[in-house]
Amino acid sequence: MRKIFILAFAAFFVSGTGLAAAAYPVDVWLPYWKKTEGIAEATPNLAPIWRVHPFSYEVQSDGTIVDLWNMDEIATDDFFLDVRAAKAKVVPTIAWHNGTEIMNILSSSTARKAHIDGIVAHAEVYRFDGVDIDYEGKPAESREHFSAFLQELSARLRAQKKILSCTIEA
């Protein structure tokens, strides 16, 4: 998975296909385990980028999110300033890959609300332009709860004029 992110990122910038003139959205995911390299590659190439997705958060079994990127670092602040100066948006990815835990949290309206509160708080504190949800391995019976989660999170983010994007697995 790590190699895919880096290869996709590298291919994007090495291809030399006139990306600055691209008329379609260009999003870039920067994984926390290659943050330094990703920032170094992205910073001089921000012109064609519409959204930067720091692959930065994971969710614990109790629904709280963990910052694996270390959003409080000066290098991160400087990079996000550069991204915003280039008129791109910062939309971090929140990943969760334990279907049982996802079902446990999202099936409880109280736990689901607390989880949404945590996500919205991070978006506010770090002035993100939105969030990207990547919750995988969910059981089929979680569909109703996952839909409720997305609808409730979307309403909260929309009220703040923030973006919600979501990875939907097959």
Side-chain angles (χ1 to χ4, degrees):
M1 185 69 126
R2 292 177 185 181
K3 288 182 181 179
I4 292 171
F5 280 113
I6 300 306
L7 290 175
F9 189 77
F12 173 79
F13 288 109
V14 174
S15 67
T17 58
L19 292 173
Y24 50 86
V26 176
D27 286 18
V28 176
W29 278 260
L30 302 175
Y32 65 87
W33 57 88
K34 290 288 189 177
K35 174 174 69 173
T36 303
E37 297 91 333
I39 288 173
E41 285 287 324
T43 300
N45 297 294
L46 290 172
I49 297 173
W50 291 25
R51 279 182 232 133
V52 171
H53 299 273
F55 197 86
S56 51
Y57 291 105
E58 288 188 359
V59 184
Q60 295 182 325
S61 61
D62 65 355
T64 57
I65 58 176
V66 178
D67 176 6
L68 299 170
W69 180 280
N70 193 5
M71 290 293 174
D72 292 323
E73 286 182 339
I74 297 296
T76 296
D77 289 343
D78 291 345
F79 175 62
F80 289 166
L81 287 172
D82 291 342
V83 169
R84 289 182 176 109
K87 305 285 190 244
K89 305 229 180 277
V90 178
V91 182
T93 296
I94 303 170
W96 201 358
H97 303 288
N98 185 312
T100 302
E101 292 175 357
I102 294 168
M103 181 69 172
N104 288 342
I105 296 301
L106 300 187
S107 64
S108 161
S109 59
T110 303
R112 185 173 62 238
K113 182 184 180 315
H115 182 55
I116 291 169
D117 289 347
I119 293 170
V120 171
H122 277 266
E124 290 172 347
V125 166
Y126 295 105
R127 299 183 344 258
F128 295 139
D129 298 294
V131 295
D132 174 49
I133 299 295
D134 183 9
Y135 292 6
E136 299 180 26
K138 301 175 298 300
E141 59 271 14
S142 72
R143 180 179 176 192
E144 178 183 325
H145 306 297
F146 187 64
S147 293
F149 163 69
L150 290 177
Q151 289 170 353
E152 293 164 17
L153 178 58
S154 177
R156 295 274 306 275
L157 292 172
R158 247 192 339 260
Q160 297 180 7
K161 299 185 181 345
K162 294 186 184 296
I163 299 164
L164 173 60
S165 66
C166 181
T167 299
I168 303 295
E169 61 209 317

